């Protein structure tokens, strides 16, 4: 479900500034910061300020948040120098996808040749 923030959610706490995590970019609806455990030379997370547990919780009334997320992902990729080599944007929803943080986020990965395939 969507809610403003959840006090026991690590990404709500990062987005609110409570954790002191360095933000590398922001938009009206999202913050961007580096993944704690990077899987590529550039590994940035795009995280909505509002809490959604995962992609399935974004309904048609909130569709704008998805546009904002992808636009920020693209902007961050450009700012991180990824337009030449290319980059990947993914979200994990649920256990088969390996979702570990239950606050919607998009991974922006690049800076090396990424493993081919989607699973
Ligand atoms: P998921 O597997 O849910 O798609 O991705 C969660 C990501 O969040 C993982 O790549 C993990 O390394 C990252 N992560 C988890 N906790 C923190 C944190 O406290 N700070 C940062 N910067 N990244 C985190
Ligand atoms: Zn949250």
């Amino acid at each position: 479900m969507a809610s403003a923030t959840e006090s026991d959610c690590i990404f709500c706490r990062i987005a609110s500034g409570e954790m002191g995590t360095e933000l590398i970019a922001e938009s009206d609806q999202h913050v961007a910061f580096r993944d704690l455990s990077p899987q590529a030379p550039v590994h940035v997370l795009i995280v909505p300020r509002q809490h959604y547990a995962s992609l399935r919780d974004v309904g048609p009334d909130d569709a704008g948040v998805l546009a904002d997320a992808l636009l920020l992902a693209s902007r961050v990729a450009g700012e991180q120098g990824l337009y030449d080599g290319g980059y990947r944007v993914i979200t994990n929803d649920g256990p088969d996808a390996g979702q570990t943080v239950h606050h919607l986020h998009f991974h922006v990965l690049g800076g090396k040749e990424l493993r081919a395939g989607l699973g």
Side-chain angles (χ1 to χ4, degrees):
M1 289 294 295
S3 58
T5 57
E6 299 209 343
S7 57
D8 60 351
C9 170
I10 184 67
F11 284 0
C12 281
R13 298 177 73 187
I14 290 174
S16 72
E18 190 185 326
M19 304 298 292
T21 303
E22 184 191 355
L23 303 181
I24 64 163
E26 294 184 67
S27 66
D28 283 352
Q29 297 182 81
H30 290 82
V31 297
F33 53 89
R34 294 190 192 283
D35 196 290
L36 198 60
S37 176
Q39 306 298 310
V42 176
H43 186 171
V44 174
L45 300 173
I46 308 294
V47 173
R49 299 178 192 276
Q50 183 170 358
H51 181 92
Y52 303 89
S54 61
L55 182 59
R56 72 185 74 182
D57 292 312
V58 183
D61 290 349
D62 288 337
V65 76
L66 300 178
D68 189 82
L70 293 179
L71 287 168
L72 184 59
S74 168
R75 175 156 69 85
V76 164
E79 289 171 358
Q80 295 294 312
L82 299 181
Y83 281 172
D84 283 347
Y87 61 99
R88 183 173 290 160
V89 180
I90 59 167
T91 190
N92 295 317
D93 184 334
D96 280 357
Q99 183 179 8
T100 58
V101 175
H102 298 281
H103 177 133
L104 175 64
H105 52 282
F106 294 86
H107 299 254
V108 179
L109 296 150
K112 70 171 186 182
E113 189 172 343
L114 299 167
R115 197 158 45 84
L118 295 171

